[in-house]
Amino acid sequence: MRTITNTNISKKRIIIRSDFNVTIIKKKIVSSERIDRSLSTIKYAIKKKAKIILMSHFGRPKEEKFEKKYSLFPVFKYLKKKIKNTNIIFHKNISDPIKIKFGEICFLENVRFNKGEKKNSKKLSKKYSDLCDIFVMDAFGSAHRMHSSTYGIIKFAKKSCFGKLLESEIIAINKVLKNPKKPLISIVGGSKISTKFSLLKSLGKISDKIILGGGIANTFIAIKNNVGKSLYEKKFVKEAKKLNKKFNFIIPIDSKVGKEFSNDTKIKNKIVSEINNEEEIMDIGKKTENKIKKILKLAKTIIWNGPLGVFEFSNFRHGTKTLAKCISKSKAFSIAGGGDTLAIIDLIKIKNKISYISTGGGAFLEFLVNGTLPVIDLINKI
């Protein structure tokens, strides 16, 4: 791979496209994980005395319309605290001249304020490329998006390469896709099977077993059973049946159910064949938990995406917590990705016990499905 460490960036003008799309509430950053993971690339560029321009998107503002709630200024302030003894300036308008010295940083305002960013405008892509000698793509969380600051710029930049974060993501995901140690166990949770058919098919080809949870599992349970008021997708039951014949899915054999979608609903542990019309599945049951424990004990590689139940309710977290603790104790190479998954890892405090935590949500899933991403292909090609 052409990376920042095997590319001469010394005394060069470089743009680093990072992913600073973090949650900010009342001007405070809730989780700084993505920013912190970007620091390695930025500090390496400082060390090499490059002129550094940082760019990222944040939220979904309307282009050409500045809204303070979508400003990257809070991230700029956070970075200033994390990077000592380096001059960092905040730059609001991309059309204004950028005046920095070698070893200094210019932090650009949210690229999604710029006209044509999401439409991959050639004019904007060229404007970005004119600001640098080398483009460094380090935003894995946006590497599946063909926007001007992630994709279009690569076509016009004199040279492009991967940053340290993106390089680490490629290496980790390829480790589970190309030559994983067996048995490989995948866990796929979440609400909708319709958004994850491609993922299930791709994982089915490489996994020895796929553990299902959430609304996705409910759709599989519905092949043979009544699921009452449970969240599931009726029109995809036939497709789930076809997949179930083809791959080795672990479908819950019992569930924790309630009569209301509430944390305070009375909980019953029921075999899935006994669920009635008034009940809805909220979590996996005790027998399913024990089955999962046995499966994960034998795993050599684990891919994890999504909770197994209604994780936002504290009374229905037990199944997901059991899963998370099993993964944290396992000696298998484990990789986890997706927003909900990262929230679970933070809540249970097992961050240091997962082999690799991906910074991408959609990008992580798309990489698992396709084995690559548009941005990665383009940099490798040019």
Side-chain angles (χ1 to χ4, degrees), residues 337-375:
D340 289 339
T341 316
L342 303 191
I344 294 159
I345 290 167
D346 280 344
L347 188 72
I348 303 172
K349 295 180 171 59
I350 55 167
K351 186 174 160 183
N352 296 328
K353 293 177 181 178
I354 306 292
S355 307
Y356 190 83
I357 299 171
S358 177
T359 57
F364 174 69
L365 298 181
E366 195 171 312
F367 201 138
L368 289 176
V369 170
N370 299 319
T372 188
L373 294 170
V375 165

Side-chain angles (χ1 to χ4, degrees), residues 154-171:
I154 299 167
K155 294 184 175 183
F156 297 102
K158 298 181 186 80
K159 192 178 283 188
S160 297
C161 64
F162 300 113
K164 288 186 167 192
L165 171 56
L166 185 46
E167 180 189 8
S168 70
E169 295 272 6
I170 294 168
I171 291 167

Side-chain angles (χ1 to χ4, degrees), residues 190-195 197 200 212-227 230-244 251-252 281:
S191 57
K192 291 185 176 181
I193 191 171
S194 54
T195 61
F197 266 124
L200 292 173
L212 299 176
I216 292 172
N218 297 347
T219 304
F220 278 83
I221 293 170
I223 295 169
K224 293 181 179 178
N225 305 281
N226 175 30
V227 292
S230 306
L231 173 68
Y232 83 112
E233 292 178 278
K234 190 176 180 180
K235 64 180 179 179
F236 291 105
V237 172
K238 281 186 180 179
E239 188 70 24
K241 190 176 181 179
K242 288 179 190 174
L243 278 181
N244 195 36
I251 303 163
I281 298 165

